[in-house]
C-alpha cells in the first residue's frame, strides 16, 4: 500500500465518521418544551409541533390546539376544558387524569394514548380515533352514547375504536 492509497482510505474513514455523526444528530428528536403547571388559558397552539412536550398540570382551558401534533406529549392531570382540539394528534400521549370537559375532540387521534382516570364529560368526539386507548368501562360507555363519525386521517370509525355495542 502506497502513501496515496493510505491517504484515500483515511479520508474515506473520516468522511464515513462525519456522515454517521450527521445521521445520528439529524435523527435525534427536537428538544421537548416544558409547560409544567403553567397557566395557558386561551393560548394558541394551533397547527404546532408539540411532540413530546410536557404539559403536566398545566391549565389549557379554552386553548386552541386544533391540528396540533401532541404525539408522545405528557398531558398528565392537565385541564383542557372547552379547548379546541379538533384534528389534534395525541398518539401515544399520556392523558392520565386530564380533564377534557366539553372539549372539541372532533377528528382527533388518541391512538395508544394512556387515559387512566381521564374525564371526557361533554366532550365532542365525532370522528375521534380511540384505537388501543384503555378506558374505564364507565367512561367508555359514556363515550359510546355520543360516538359517531369516521376519522378522516386514519379512516377508523369512532364507535368501532371504542368497541361500542
Amino acid at each position: 500500500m502506497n502513501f496515496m492509497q493510505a491517504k484515500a482510505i483515511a479520508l474515506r474513514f473520516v468522511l464515513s465518521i462525519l456522515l454517521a455523526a450527521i445521521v445520528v444528530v439529524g435523527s435525534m428528536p427536537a428538544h421537548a418544551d416544558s409547560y409544567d403547571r403553567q397557566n395557558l388559558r386561551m393560548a394558541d397552539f394551533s397547527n404546532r409541533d408539540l411532540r413530546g412536550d410536557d404539559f403536566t398540570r398545566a391549565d389549557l382551558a379554552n386553548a386552541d390546539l386544533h391540528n396540533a401534533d401532541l404525539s408522545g406529549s405528557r398531558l398528565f392531570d392537565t385541564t383542557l376544558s372547552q379547548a379546541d382540539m379538533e384534528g389534534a394528534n395525541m398518539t401515544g400521549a399520556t392523558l392520565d387524569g386530564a380533564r377534557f370537559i366539553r372539549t372539541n375532540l372532533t377528528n382527533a387521534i388518541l391512538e395508544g394514548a394512556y387515559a387512566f382516570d381521564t374525564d371526557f364529560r361533554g366532550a365532542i368526539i365525532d370522528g375521534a380515533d380511540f384505537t388501543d386507548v384503555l378506558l374505564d368501562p364507565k367512561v367508555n360507555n359514556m363515550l359510546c352514547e355520543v360516538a359517531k363519525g369516521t376519522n378522516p386521517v386514519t379512516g377508523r370509525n369512532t364507535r368501532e375504536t371504542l368497541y361500542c355495542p
Side-chain angles (χ1 to χ4, degrees), residues 2-83:
N2 66 29
F3 176 72
M4 291 305 282
Q5 288 175 325
K7 187 176 175 182
I9 291 171
L11 182 61
R12 277 190 232 133
F13 178 74
V14 169
L15 288 175
S16 63
I17 297 289
L18 283 173
L19 181 61
I22 290 169
V23 169
V24 169
V25 171
S27 66
M28 293 175 72
H31 174 71
D33 291 325
S34 178
Y35 301 95
D36 188 13
R37 294 184 174 96
Q38 290 187 27
N39 180 350
L40 301 168
R41 286 178 170 252
M42 298 193 284
D44 186 356
F45 287 102
S46 60
N47 301 298
R48 296 253 318 260
D49 182 351
L50 304 167
R51 289 178 290 176
D53 285 1
D54 185 2
F55 291 92
T56 299
R57 294 185 184 90
D59 186 352
L60 285 158
N62 299 101
D64 186 354
L65 291 144
H66 80 272
N67 295 322
D69 188 351
L70 292 150
S71 303
S73 291
R74 208 169 142 76
L75 296 160
F76 176 77
D77 202 27
T78 301
T79 299
L80 292 146
S81 300
Q82 298 181 354

Side-chain angles (χ1 to χ4, degrees), residues 88-138:
N89 182 357
M90 292 174 272
T91 301
T94 303
L95 311 174
D96 297 338
R99 290 164 296 287
F100 290 95
I101 301 167
R102 294 187 309 276
T103 300
N104 180 7
L105 292 169
T106 302
N107 298 327
I109 302 171
L110 296 93
E111 184 173 358
Y114 302 93
F116 179 76
D117 199 29
T118 302
D119 190 346
F120 289 100
R121 285 178 292 152
I124 301 164
I125 61 165
D126 301 355
D129 185 342
F130 286 87
T131 300
D132 297 330
V133 177
L134 295 176
L135 297 165
D136 179 276
K138 289 179 184 176

Side-chain angles (χ1 to χ4, degrees), residues 141-156:
N141 290 337
M142 178 194 68
L143 292 174
C144 282
E145 289 177 16
V146 298
K148 63 182 178 182
T150 300
N151 188 282
V153 175
T154 66
R156 296 182 186 127

